[in-house]
Structure formats: C-alpha cells, structure tokens
C-alpha cells in the first residue's frame, strides 16, 4: 500500500498543527499539554483529514462532497468543543 500525495499532505499538516502547541509550551506557562493531549488531538485531526480524503475520493458530485465534508467538520468541531470545555456536559469532557 502506497501513500498518495494527498495523504502525505494530510499527515504533514497534522504534524505542523501539533507543532504549534509544542512550540508554545516552550515559551509560555499557559500552554500545558500532556502526551495524552497530543495523542487525542492527533487522532481527531487524523480522523478529520482522512474522512475528508474519503469524501473527496468516493463522492461523485460536488454537492455530495460539500455535504460530506461539512458533516465531518461539524462533527470534528463538536467533539473538539466537548473535549476542550465540556459544552454538553458529557463524561468525555473530564467532569
């Protein structure tokens, strides 16, 4: 199985995005991520990136692609907000 250029871009983008809090941790005591935080963020970004890649490969029309990507991004944002601040008060937020 070979990695396509789109998948390489997805993985590279995830690494760049995860480098932002890693670098910020060196300069500010306000940013305190644990290894678990990086793993969860990486997993969420990986799921989002490859879900979008899947939608782009499998959806035949532009409107279906837009709908699928919108749904994936909305789910990502809802999970991210819940994990970050507990918007919905589920046990996943750590409370």
């Amino acid at each position: 199985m070979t990695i396509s250029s789109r998948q390489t871009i997805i993985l590279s983008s995830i690494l760049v995005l995860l480098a932002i809090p890693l670098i910020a941790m060196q300069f500010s005591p306000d940013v305190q991520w644990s290894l678990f935080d990086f793993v969860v963020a990486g997993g969420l970004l990986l799921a989002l990136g490859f879900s979008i890649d899947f939608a782009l490969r499998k959806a035949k029309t532009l409107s279906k692609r837009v709908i699928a990507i919108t749904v994936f991004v909305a789910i990502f944002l809802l999970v991210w907000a819940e994990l970050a601040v507990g918007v919905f008060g589920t046990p996943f937020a750590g409370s």
Side-chain angles (χ1 to χ4, degrees), residues 10-64:
I10 292 169
L11 294 173
S12 300
S13 300
I14 291 170
L15 289 176
V16 168
L17 288 172
L18 290 176
I20 294 170
L22 182 65
I23 293 169
M25 287 172 48
Q26 310 308 313
F27 298 104
S28 173
D30 296 329
V31 181
Q32 298 177 2
W33 280 36
S34 67
L35 177 62
F36 181 73
D37 294 325
F38 282 99
V39 170
V40 169
L44 283 172
L45 290 169
L46 194 67
L48 176 65
F50 284 115
S51 296
I52 290 173
D53 180 50
F54 180 78
L56 291 174
R57 283 186 290 115
K58 297 297 181 182
K60 301 297 181 198
T61 64
L62 178 63
S63 63
K64 288 182 181 179

